[in-house]
Amino acid sequence: MDLFRRLRRRPTLELDDIQAVVLRARPEPYFGSHAILEIGDRAAGQEMLRRLAPRLTSAAGWDEPRPSWPAVAISYQGLVALGVPESSLASFPANFRAGMAARADRLRDTGVNAPKNWEFPFGTSRVHVAVSVYSDNEDDWRREVAEYRRQLHDLPGVNLLSHQDFGATGWNVFGYRDGFSQPLVEGSGAESLPGDGRAIKAGEFVLGYPSETGQPLGMPAPDVLGRNGSYVVFRKYHSHVAAFNKFLYDNGHTEQERELLAAKLVGRWRSGAPLALAPERDDPAIGEDPQRINNFGYADDPRGLRTPVGSHIRRMNPRDSKLEILSDVNIRRIIRRSTSYGDPLPSDRLRDDGASRGLDFIALGARAVDTVEFLQSEWVNSGSFAGLGKEKDPLISRQDKGAYFTVPGSPPRRVHNIQSFNTLLGGEYFFLPSLSAIRWLAG
Amino acid sequence: MSGDVSELTGIFDLKPNGAERLRKFFKLVDGNLVGAGQVGTLHNMRFVFLDNDTKLLFATAYDGEWDAYIDDFATKIPEMMDYLFGNVEGWPGIASPEVKDFITKYQLQAAAWFVAHPDITVSEATRLKRQDLAVQRFLVELN
């Protein structure tokens, strides 16, 4: 399916200075890799950026097909390792400077999700640079990754700490189509699709432009470093698909019952068709139609009889739902560039096969760090904002013992023993510099 | 923070005539900041003038972390926030990137405090009241 927007208006953003990943959608199917690098010494780190700079792709022509494009993002520790002056370092927000592991309390990353249980190198101060390659075909992906390796192999001051491949058809390991709901960014020139609502101010996603407050958000200094940059939150999850399947089998006798319960948890059927438009059964035609897949709201469903108020997509993007707490949904939007890794597990497999599979949650935005902290504490691991008490997000929260999920109805159905279907393996906060900032950082 | 409920206390220097302006405003609303109910996380809030109207003591109890919804205030109720706190010396404006640091700077640590129901957020209290109403109606209809 072609779910991607077209460039319809003249962009007002400085697209040729913004990294491609900000506006370039993840293709279907997609291939790629995420590498985490450590900068051992400053000179080597700067040399690495000098070598990467000519290979970087800007967001200009973001709707034109391209075989592959990279993204380069730098953590606070990475900026320190690059020798960024103290006055610049101090101009970054406190939570970004602290790093994701230090923010575990705020992110509700406790228990199995706590940083002490993370995969190396996450949670250490050695995560400096993330280089990702996105590609629409396998050959170009492998060629591009080989080229990066060639560029970096003779730089002894730069260490490759981890390399993770990803790739999928557009359906994640749970068997759901994903990644197709994106905010409409003002000034990007993107067409509006039905259900988008109004365009969100560019400054919510790219630093240096007016945000939803009317003013630009705080930006790192100097201007050449901050302007046209953004932030990236990376969180790698292992997905317990067998546990999810078993939960459906424990609570549904027929395929139809199980799929309906699954849709109630997510808010969409596996095809992507939303319950709001297809309340009784899946309608794959809607899932294939960019004009319809997001063309809905919740104002006519205050009790969640179609789309449960606590379902995953209604929590993550409440649209026009009436909330219990004064919230501005337009400042909680993120550009999503998440990637799936590992093979999906079919829905009839109830035993964990021990395979590595899951999702790299990747959120971009000028306040992505604040937003993900907000989402984790308010919309994922709490029910207060929607009047749901202690209920949590059915897909990505860490569920307590005895947790349940309520399917609204007359009478409502309380489904017991919901498990944590995703475990956090690690993550980090990164700054996504503009192309001119990369050159500035390279010295 | 006690369970889900937190407290915040701060003493701020008032601008010249700041207390007078705030008093007029409070009189206008009859000392009742009912509009703050829409925030949905505020249990209570009080404003007290100190030292011959030169200082403002602000104390509140609310759900969760104090800064979780500051950004929402900046886009949803900026006029209200700036009207109230614009009378305070050095207030950078609710939409300013400096606002969190400003509040932190004037925050006073409570030596002790008590919450009767630390697990009941404002939203949870609303839900329980709604549920109680339904139970009461049911009992009335039953008899």
Side-chain angles (χ1 to χ4, degrees):
Chain A
M1 172 181 52
D2 190 1
L3 270 175
F4 304 125
R5 296 171 197 276
R6 294 281 167 265
L7 198 107
R8 284 282 154 75
R9 280 172 226 165
R10 215 162 65 84
T12 53
L13 301 177
E14 293 162 7
L15 295 185
D16 55 2
D17 195 35
I18 297 168
Q19 288 202 48
V21 69
V22 175
L23 292 177
R24 190 169 272 282
R26 195 190 70 189
E28 280 187 10
Y30 61 93
F31 304 83
S33 306
H34 302 299
I36 301 289
L37 304 162
E38 176 188 29
I39 296 170
D41 72 84
R42 180 186 174 182
Q46 292 187 320
E47 175 60 21
M48 169 180 67
L49 293 184
R50 273 194 291 275
R51 292 185 189 184
L52 292 179
R55 305 197 61 79
L56 293 181
T57 312
S58 83
W62 54 261
D63 73 330
E64 292 160 17
R66 211 189 147 82
S68 73
W69 59 96
V72 173
I74 306 173
S75 72
Y76 180 73
Q77 292 302 331
L79 295 168
V80 172
L82 282 166
V84 169
E86 185 51 44
S87 58
S88 267
L89 292 174
S91 65
F92 282 87
N95 45 8
F96 169 77
R97 293 198 313 251
M100 187 178 286
R103 299 289 290 173
D105 279 352
R106 177 58 72 97
L107 289 159
R108 310 296 191 255
D109 291 339
T110 57
V112 290
N113 291 345
K116 69 175 168 54
N117 298 318
W118 288 359
E119 250 179 19
F120 180 80
F122 297 113
T124 73
S125 57
R126 298 173 63 188
V127 176
H128 293 166
V129 178
V131 180
S132 298
V133 172
Y134 288 82
S135 193
D136 68 3
N137 71 88
E138 192 166 350
D139 289 348
D140 281 296
W141 159 49
R142 295 203 184 278
R143 193 173 306 129
E144 194 77 4
V145 170
E147 182 59 25
Y148 283 105
R149 294 202 164 211
R150 201 181 62 75
Q151 295 276 351
L152 302 178
H153 86 279
D154 62 341
L155 267 178
V158 173
N159 310 314
L160 177 68
L161 300 185
S162 70
H163 173 106
Q164 182 222 305
D165 294 334
F166 61 80
T169 54
W171 272 259
N172 64 27
V173 295
F174 288 98
Y176 281 79
R177 184 192 282 282
D178 72 355
F180 50 80
S181 293
Q182 304 285 354
L184 179 63
V185 181
E186 190 176 278
S188 65
E191 67 184 319
S192 164
L193 293 172
D196 273 342
R198 69 169 171 82
I200 310 289
K201 294 285 179 191
E204 292 293 318
F205 307 102
V206 184
L207 294 164
Y209 300 86
S211 71
E212 289 287 320
T213 68
Q215 303 168 27
L217 299 174
M219 183 170 95
D223 269 14
V224 62
L225 177 61
R227 188 170 171 78
N228 290 323
S230 189
Y231 290 93
V232 187
V233 174
F234 181 95
R235 288 166 73 79
K236 181 180 180 183
Y237 287 96
H238 172 72
S239 299
H240 306 284
V241 183
F244 179 78
N245 293 345
K246 185 167 183 307
F247 178 75
L248 300 180
Y249 269 82
D250 286 347
N251 296 289
H253 299 300
T254 64
E255 178 75 5
Q256 201 180 349
E257 281 180 13
R258 289 191 287 272
E259 288 305 297
L260 179 61
L261 175 58
K264 292 287 185 183
L265 298 175
V266 176
R268 293 184 187 268
W269 303 90
R270 294 182 196 262
S271 71
L275 282 172
L277 300 180
E280 307 286 340
R281 62 191 63 81
D282 196 0
D283 183 351
I286 298 177
E288 292 288 332
D289 185 352
Q291 303 293 319
R292 290 198 285 167
I293 194 165
N294 276 312
N295 190 16
F296 62 93
Y298 302 119
D300 60 350
D301 185 21
R303 291 175 57 204
L305 297 176
R306 288 181 168 209
T307 313
V309 178
S311 64
H312 178 63
I313 68 162
R314 193 161 172 173
R315 281 174 175 268
M316 293 298 88
N317 183 8
R319 298 175 185 239
D320 53 357
S321 300
K322 190 177 175 304
L323 302 180
E324 294 287 320
I325 299 175
L326 180 80
S327 313
D328 185 348
V329 295
N330 289 328
I331 65 169
R332 307 297 180 201
R333 298 301 304 276
I334 44 177
I335 293 172
R336 295 151 70 227
R337 295 289 179 254
S338 298
T339 53
S340 292
Y341 65 91
D343 296 322
L345 192 70
S347 61
D348 59 354
R349 298 276 286 278
L350 310 185
R351 249 168 227 250
D352 188 12
D353 60 359
S356 165
R357 64 168 60 84
L359 184 86
D360 310 298
F361 168 85
I362 300 171
L364 271 66
R367 47 171 131 216
V369 173
D370 284 349
T371 301
V372 172
E373 291 187 352
F374 174 90
L375 294 176
Q376 282 290 119
S377 61
E378 302 299 316
W379 289 359
V380 171
N381 289 292
S382 170
S384 283
F385 79 104
L388 293 171
K390 304 281 182 214
E391 282 191 44
K392 300 182 183 182
D393 184 284
L395 284 194
I396 58 170
S397 67
R398 189 181 73 80
Q399 299 285 8
D400 299 312
K401 227 177 155 190
Y404 52 81
F405 179 80
T406 306
V407 181
S410 301
R413 177 180 181 205
R414 185 156 283 186
V415 194
H416 291 276
N417 284 321
I418 188 161
Q419 310 288 311
S420 307
F421 297 130
N422 286 283
T423 299
L424 185 66
L425 298 181
E428 190 51 280
Y429 296 149
F430 295 96
F431 178 59
L432 185 75
S434 69
L435 302 190
S436 45
I438 298 259
R439 289 190 293 271
W440 183 84
L441 288 164
Chain B
M1 199 155 166
S2 173
D4 296 320
V5 186
S6 315
E7 61 84 31
L8 177 81
T9 310
I11 295 182
F12 303 89
D13 291 326
L14 282 167
K15 286 180 183 164
N17 302 319
E20 198 182 319
R21 278 192 298 269
L22 280 172
R23 266 208 187 85
K24 271 188 193 149
F25 172 72
F26 294 147
K27 199 172 170 197
L28 204 68
V29 297
D30 212 10
N32 188 357
L33 297 168
V34 69
Q38 64 163 315
V39 171
T41 54
L42 288 175
H43 289 260
N44 59 59
M45 214 170 40
R46 79 197 66 178
F47 295 81
V48 182
F49 299 118
L50 304 175
D51 295 355
N52 278 331
D53 287 356
T54 58
K55 287 188 167 66
L56 171 72
L57 179 142
F58 173 74
T60 178
Y62 55 93
D63 297 322
E65 283 95 358
W66 72 270
D67 58 344
Y69 289 92
I70 285 276
D71 295 329
D72 301 82
F73 297 168
T75 57
K76 298 292 270 191
I77 49 169
E79 297 86 2
M80 171 64 94
M81 293 299 292
D82 286 336
Y83 187 83
L84 282 173
F85 290 99
N87 294 298
V88 160
E89 287 287 3
W91 175 250
I94 187 68
S96 162
E98 315 294 325
V99 74
K100 291 183 188 181
D101 288 342
F102 177 83
I103 296 170
T104 308
K105 191 173 147 195
Y106 288 95
Q107 185 182 358
L108 297 169
Q109 208 61 48
W113 85 301
F114 167 77
V115 182
H117 299 288
D119 55 337
I120 297 186
T121 61
V122 174
S123 152
E124 186 67 351
T126 308
R127 189 180 72 82
L128 291 170
K129 280 167 82 173
R130 201 165 49 225
Q131 215 162 60
D132 183 54
L133 192 69
V135 171
Q136 297 303 332
R137 266 196 208 127
F138 174 74
L139 290 175
V140 167
E141 283 169 22
L142 194 69
N143 294 287

